[in-house]
Amino acid sequence: MASLHDQLRGLVYSTEHGDICPSCRQPQDDCRCAELAEQERIAALDGIVRIRRETSGRKGKGVTTISGLPLSKAELRTLAKSLKKRCGTGGSVSDDGVIEIQGDHREPLKAELERQGYTVKLAGG
């Protein structure tokens, strides 16, 4: 990571190329920072999908979170859509690769993911 001084004096826009990525100093069209971050996230996974129920920060409403899936963001969205449809509830995919399904659906989600060939663990409360 560059120092704060280097970050503040870097080029952010060019009339020739448009917006410039602050990390790699390439034009936004040529920037591969997001792809590299996605590859690093997938490489850091241990191959076990963890399903947990969380209520913190949600005013007591429980959600089921699924983390550790070795899929790209587009594939995660597709899988989340099918899982939400299976449970009949809403949900979302966060930027760090975690699928959130509204309500406590740990057992059906575990069965579905195991049917698709993933190693699944129930974690947390």
Side-chain angles (χ1 to χ4, degrees):
M1 185 81 194
S3 70
L4 181 61
H5 188 263
D6 291 339
Q7 290 177 12
L8 292 176
R9 42 186 308 234
L11 182 66
V12 294
Y13 187 83
S14 165
T15 55
E16 184 178 345
H17 299 290
D19 287 331
I20 304 293
C21 175
S23 299
C24 64
R25 306 281 188 219
Q26 297 292 321
Q28 286 287 22
D29 296 337
D30 298 335
C31 177
R32 297 195 56 227
C33 293
E35 295 172 24
L36 295 174
E38 184 71 18
Q39 290 172 359
E40 288 177 16
R41 182 191 67 82
I42 291 173
L45 299 175
D46 61 357
I48 297 174
V49 177
R50 289 176 173 78
I51 301 176
R52 67 178 56 91
R53 183 175 178 270
E54 294 182 4
T55 57
S56 65
R58 295 181 173 86
K59 299 181 183 176
K61 306 280 189 198
V63 297
T64 305
T65 61
I66 304 168
S67 60
L69 288 164
L71 301 173
S72 67
K73 291 193 189 264
E75 293 169 328
L76 278 175
R77 283 190 208 103
T78 305
L79 178 63
K81 184 175 180 179
S82 68
L83 293 176
K84 290 187 303 186
K85 189 179 287 188
R86 179 160 173 79
C87 294
T89 62
S92 65
V93 178
S94 66
D95 290 336
D96 55 349
V98 177
I99 298 175
E100 297 179 355
I101 307 285
Q102 295 173 353
D104 186 6
H105 301 282
R106 289 177 289 184
E107 293 302 325
L109 291 173
K110 180 180 182 195
E112 178 65 22
L113 290 172
E114 285 177 341
R115 188 184 67 76
Q116 293 182 11
Y118 294 106
T119 303
V120 181
K121 281 187 179 178
L122 293 179

